[in-house]
């Protein structure tokens, strides 16, 4: 067991994260998981590899701190979160560099992520003091109904690599505001940001054991052991639909409450009456934020026949003009993909669409390394049964499909098991809202390429998830209503 040996000023230096697990306020040295810079394939650091017994020690630490944290006045919990927001903001540039190094995303995207991520702490600092109950009269007149909200209990939080900071704060913020203690398991590809944020949390005054962070190369057994522990009452997961399904089955064994933020396959609809330039601006954000590695990324562009060719030409021009390179290099707009495997998958999807008759207007093949690069790509005449119409591409590839009528495009938009996000461009607001109502998705952006906002409920329907994060509803995922039947 060691105390954090590092001064607070050096969050951007990956070598400082060569030690490991953060349990009960202590740093537990360890090695075993290499962290690679996807821009160069060089090793940045090595972090500890938690075992099942480490995970159970983290549950012990979360349990030991639970009663005090839950009893702490909401105002005090709020002030700790507010300080954490302030520290993340103070260290924004270092954290952005760290994200860019381990995830690959362009610095501009990483800076945007840190601002977004920190905002969850500020938002939930504000929500911590607004947890409301209910008071009603029973319809029978026999009694009164009083509803209180208790913290749900020890929460296991699992996050993906594509937003290493924001996916963690979107869970930690509401959990701590609600009075829960947590164990965060970040993705092995991007653990450094999570550990850097844990340090800032300790500096902000988060008591030992309230936030624990562990990395592991065996997420299955380690997470299953925590879910099997009766002290754990909540699983909040962000990641792929496949892993989400496995975890739902595992959580069923001990009836652990689950929130699931899973994969997406967002349609981006452009009607003939759309403002073309605005639609192209929005398309670039919806497709290229994070180089396409986002669950809300536009995965299918449906463009009405009258505007289709102009849209393809405009999108091709803008995509071809983007600078691809290491995320930390000045001028880079598109960083590398997370792994070689990700490039192979994108390449397979594009080749398959081309074999089915699609036409690439820019990009279309992996770039030479070192580093895992795929260029911004536009592809038209994609057959409706191409795999890329049904799977998350998770990369900088924009397939454009032509449509004729409103009814047809609603049917196409809904022809997927996913239902996270959708985008609609039309100058006719009543049409845009009508179409939005018809699309099976948890979030609809109208004449905008971005919908994520800490003040809004984020989440999906169908196989994109269960529950919502952010907004006033996000805290409810970490609260359990308790009803009192009262006579007086
Ligand atoms: P992933 O499902 O492979 O991994 C996510 C996390 O789960 C990682 O921490 C991983 O280590 C862990 N994990 C893997 N197997 C596990 C197991 N058997 N038991 C417990 N934990 C396990 O996803 P990824 O590749 O890291 O992230 C990309 C996916 O995340 C995409 O599908 C994307 O759409 C989705 N995502 C969704 C949202 C959302 O809010 N809906 C946000 C970001 C990303």
């Amino acid at each position: 067991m060691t105390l954090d040996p590092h001064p607070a000023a050096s969050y951007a230096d990956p070598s400082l994260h060569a030690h490991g697990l953060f349990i009960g306020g202590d740093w537990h040295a360890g090695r075993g998981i290499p962290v690679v810079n996807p821009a160069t394939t060089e090793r940045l650091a090595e972090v500890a590899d938690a075992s099942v017994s480490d995970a159970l020690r983290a549950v012990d630490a979360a349990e030991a701190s639970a009663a005090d944290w839950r009893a702490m006045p909401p105002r005090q919990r709020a002030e700790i979160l507010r300080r954490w927001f302030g520290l993340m903001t103070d260290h924004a540039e270092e954290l952005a560099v760290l994200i860019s190094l381990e995830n690959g995303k362009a610095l501009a995207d990483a800076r945007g992520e840190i601002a977004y991520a920190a905002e969850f702490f500020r938002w939930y600092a504000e929500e911590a003091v607004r947890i409301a109950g209910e008071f009603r009269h029973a319809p029978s007149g026999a009694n009164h109904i009083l509803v209180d909200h208790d913290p749900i209990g020890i929460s296991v939080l699992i996050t993906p690599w594509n937003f290493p900071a924001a996916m963690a704060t979107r869970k930690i913020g509401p959990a701590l505001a609600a009075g829960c203690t947590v164990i965060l398991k970040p993705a092995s590809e991007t653990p450094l940001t999570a550990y850097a944020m844990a340090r800032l949390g300790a500096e902000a005054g988060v008591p030992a054991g309230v936030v624990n962070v562990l990395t592991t190369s065996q997420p299955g057994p380690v997470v299953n052991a925590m879910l099997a522990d009766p002290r754990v009452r909540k699983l909040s997961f962000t990641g792929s639909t496949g892993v989400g399904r496995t975890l739902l089955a595992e959580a069923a064994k001990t009836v652990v409450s689950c929130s699931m933020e899973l994969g997406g396959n967002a349609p981006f609809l452009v009607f003939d009456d759309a403002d073309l330039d605005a639609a192209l601006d929005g398309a670039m954000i919806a497709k290229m934020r994070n180089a396409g590695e986002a669950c809300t990324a536009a995965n299918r562009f449906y463009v009405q026949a009258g505007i289709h060719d102009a849209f393809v030409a405009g999108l091709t021009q803008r995509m071809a003009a983007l600078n691809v390179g290491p995320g930390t290099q000045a001028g880079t707009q598109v960083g590398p993909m997370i792994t070689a495997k990700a490039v192979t998958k994108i390449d397979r999807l594009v080749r398959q669409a081309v074999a089915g008759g699609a036409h690439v207007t820019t990009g279309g093949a992996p770039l030479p390394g070192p580093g895992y690069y795929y260029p911004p790509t536009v592809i038209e005449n994609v057959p409706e049964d191409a795999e890329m119409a049904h799977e998350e591409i998770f990369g900088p590839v924009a397939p454009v499909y032509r449509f004729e009528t409103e009814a047809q495009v609603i049917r196409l938009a809904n022809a997927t098991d996913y239902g996270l996000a959708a985008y609609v461009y039309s100058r006719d607001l009543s049409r845009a809202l009508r179409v939005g109502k018809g699309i099976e998705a948890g979030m609809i952006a109208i004449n905008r390429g971005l919908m994520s906002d800490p003040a809004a409920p984020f989440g999906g329907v169908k196989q994109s998830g269960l529950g919502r994060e952010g907004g006033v509803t996000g805290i409810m995922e970490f609260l359990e209503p308790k009803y009192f039947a009262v006579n007086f």
Side-chain angles (χ1 to χ4, degrees):
M1 186 182 296
T2 52
L3 284 177
D4 177 6
H6 302 305
S10 30
Y11 294 97
D13 182 350
S15 67
L16 297 181
H17 304 272
H19 58 287
L21 314 177
F22 185 60
I23 299 177
D26 291 318
W27 292 93
H28 297 255
R31 306 184 75 78
I33 303 181
V35 184
V36 168
N37 180 346
T40 59
T41 75
E42 282 162 10
R43 181 178 287 212
L44 289 167
E46 192 170 327
V47 296
D49 188 358
S51 63
V52 163
S53 64
D54 292 322
L56 295 178
R57 274 195 296 128
V59 177
D60 292 342
E63 164 82 352
S65 60
D68 285 352
W69 183 249
R70 168 191 183 118
M72 184 183 280
R75 176 64 73 203
Q76 252 174 279
R77 291 203 298 263
E79 280 168 2
I80 291 172
L81 282 172
R82 186 64 176 74
R83 279 201 294 277
W84 204 350
F85 160 79
L87 285 169
M88 276 190 70
T89 307
D90 293 346
H91 291 278
E93 191 59 21
E94 295 154 73
L95 292 170
V97 169
L98 193 55
I99 289 184
S100 188
L101 286 172
E102 66 175 350
N103 165 283
K105 69 178 72 177
L107 254 184
D109 280 335
R111 290 183 182 122
E113 180 183 345
I114 289 298
Y116 174 55
E119 204 56 57
F120 284 103
F121 287 155
R122 179 155 65 172
W123 175 263
Y124 283 107
E126 291 157 352
E127 289 302 293
V129 293
R130 314 214 191 291
I131 299 169
E134 260 177 68
F135 182 81
R136 290 173 186 274
H137 299 275
S140 65
N143 62 286
H144 297 89
I145 294 170
L146 186 73
V147 182
D148 189 16
H149 288 107
D150 284 341
I152 197 165
I154 296 176
S155 302
V156 172
L157 316 177
I158 304 179
T159 50
W161 50 262
N162 65 337
F163 289 93
M167 298 302 95
T169 59
R170 203 166 74 175
K171 298 181 188 306
I172 296 171
L176 265 53
C180 299
T181 58
V182 307
I183 299 135
L184 171 69
K185 195 216 79 63
S188 297
E189 294 86 349
T190 56
L192 306 181
T193 306
Y195 284 128
M197 289 196 307
R199 282 204 186 87
L200 290 174
E203 207 180 318
V206 176
V210 170
V211 174
N212 306 279
V213 183
L214 49 85
T215 34
T216 177
S217 63
Q218 320 159 60
V222 163
V223 171
N224 292 355
M226 290 193 280
L227 293 178
D229 188 316
R231 296 172 295 177
V232 169
R233 297 313 313 145
K234 179 78 196 180
L235 169 64
S236 178
F237 173 78
T238 299
S240 60
T241 295
V243 173
R245 271 191 218 109
T246 306
L247 286 170
L248 280 168
E250 201 58 38
K253 294 179 185 165
T254 36
V255 194
V256 169
S257 163
C258 290
S259 300
M260 293 275 150
E261 295 288 349
L262 307 177
N265 181 8
F268 187 107
L269 279 50
V270 186
F271 285 90
D272 283 345
D273 65 357
D275 175 332
L276 179 61
D277 276 337
L280 288 167
D281 288 347
M284 293 303 289
I285 297 167
K287 180 74 253 180
M288 295 307 294
R289 189 170 66 112
N290 248 15
E293 293 177 317
C295 53
T296 50
N299 208 54
R300 298 169 288 154
F301 287 88
Y302 292 113
V303 186
Q304 206 164 11
I307 202 172
H308 175 275
D309 292 353
F311 183 87
V312 171
L315 191 62
T316 302
Q317 195 184 24
R318 289 174 191 231
M319 292 283 272
L322 292 174
N323 287 324
V324 181
T328 49
Q329 187 173 287
T332 291
Q333 293 163 296
V334 183
M337 302 291 95
I338 189 74
T339 53
K341 199 172 144 202
V343 173
T344 305
K345 176 189 166 184
I346 297 164
D347 188 36
R348 179 175 58 76
L349 292 176
V350 170
R351 282 168 186 275
Q352 198 227 21
V354 169
H359 168 64
V360 171
T361 64
T362 185
L367 298 172
Y372 313 126
Y373 293 99
Y374 199 92
T377 295
V378 179
I379 179 164
E380 60 177 345
N381 300 331
V382 179
E384 269 176 44
D385 63 351
E387 204 182 332
M388 69 164 61
H390 304 280
E391 280 304 315
E392 279 187 298
I393 300 169
F394 237 59
V397 176
V400 185
Y401 307 80
R402 187 188 298 264
F403 77 90
E404 305 285 340
T405 68
E406 195 177 303
Q408 177 200 11
V409 78
I410 292 175
R411 178 183 62 73
L412 289 168
N414 289 336
T416 171
D417 290 335
Y418 296 105
L420 187 62
Y423 304 83
V424 183
Y425 272 80
S426 168
R427 283 200 180 95
D428 176 349
L429 192 56
S430 49
R431 171 168 38 201
L433 287 167
R434 183 171 66 238
V435 169
K437 286 291 274 184
I439 294 179
E440 298 158 352
M443 299 177 286
I444 313 281
I446 293 182
N447 297 323
R448 278 184 62 73
L450 181 69
M451 76 265 293
S452 301
D453 189 317
F458 189 106
V461 301
K462 295 161 79 176
Q463 294 195 30
S464 285
L466 298 170
R468 294 293 181 271
E469 291 190 323
V472 290
T473 42
I475 199 167
M476 296 309 296
E477 306 281 326
F478 294 96
L479 291 167
E480 200 70 273
K482 181 179 279 173
Y483 152 55
F484 295 84
V486 184
N487 281 340
F488 59 86

